[in-house]
Amino acid sequence: MSYLEGDEEEAAALFVEKNRRLLETIDFSKSNSVQRSLSREMYDLILHYLGVRKLEKHSLTVLEHRPEDETTWVISRDKFESAPNRRYATGETGTAKVVDVSIEQLYADLPSPCTLADLPNEAKGDVAWIFAYFDELSDFECVVTPGGGSVELVKESSE
């Protein structure tokens, strides 16, 4: 695959458009020829445009939603970019996983104020990154502050 540097997104979208039928036959849960022949950045973009994963990159966090199994990953942007083979290790810092509930519903169900301990069992891993994600996006009207040896989230609309 050839493209001009800086046109990665357009190139990935075009690649998916032209090769969708073939791409839909590949099991992306395993190592595959597409993954082995492209940079990790291009592979991520192809999965995004194919709909296997939906990526949202922000300053501090990356949200990756996998519609097929209703799993959402919240990963530190630094870890996402610098350690692609460790992105999904929930036993390490920088990675949180939310299963069986949308990130929006998780936020809506949280009491205000709340701490990391108030997150439900559907949130696993380094869950402080979930609060970092909420804090970073203006969609979630909240303030996140350190407090009492943990992190506290206060929804602005409930004050």
Side-chain angles (χ1 to χ4, degrees):
M1 182 171 172
S2 299
Y3 54 91
L4 295 175
E5 188 172 337
D7 287 342
E8 289 84 0
E9 289 204 31
E10 189 174 321
L14 181 61
F15 182 80
V16 168
E17 180 184 320
K18 298 289 184 187
N19 297 288
R20 181 171 293 279
R21 239 185 261 172
L22 178 61
L23 290 168
E24 288 174 344
T25 67
I26 297 172
D27 180 358
F28 288 102
S29 67
K30 300 176 184 174
S31 179
N32 57 72
S33 59
V34 177
Q35 181 182 30
R36 288 187 299 272
S37 62
L38 297 171
S39 70
R40 185 61 195 226
E41 179 185 14
M42 287 304 297
Y43 183 69
D44 288 337
L45 287 170
I46 287 169
L47 294 179
H48 173 77
Y49 285 105
L50 188 58
V52 175
R53 301 179 187 163
K54 292 295 178 189
L55 290 176
E56 292 177 23
K57 291 183 180 181
H58 306 285
S59 297
L60 300 174
T61 61
V62 174
L63 184 87
E64 180 181 305
H65 179 68
R66 297 183 181 190
E68 187 174 290
D69 63 2
E70 285 305 312
T71 300
T72 301
W73 296 88
V74 181
I75 306 166
S76 84
R77 176 88 185 242
D78 181 56
K79 183 175 187 178
F80 186 87
E81 292 175 351
S82 66
N85 294 332
R86 307 294 309 157
R87 288 178 184 167
Y88 311 107
T90 56
E92 298 178 5
T93 60
T95 301
K97 179 180 181 179
V98 178
V99 294
D100 298 329
V101 64
S102 72
I103 198 81
E104 295 82 9
Q105 189 61 52
L106 179 80
Y107 177 81
D109 291 345
L110 288 174
S112 181
C114 63
T115 66
L116 297 175
D118 293 313
L119 285 166
N121 291 335
E122 288 87 0
K124 301 169 181 1
D126 189 0
V127 294
W129 284 98
I130 296 171
F131 277 17
Y133 173 76
F134 292 149
D135 191 43
E136 186 170 27
L137 267 73
S138 61
D139 298 358
F140 302 100
E141 296 177 355
C142 64
V143 175
V144 176
T145 57
S150 184
V151 178
E152 183 178 72
L153 181 144
V154 177
K155 295 178 181 179
E156 292 179 343
S157 60
S158 67
E159 288 184 38

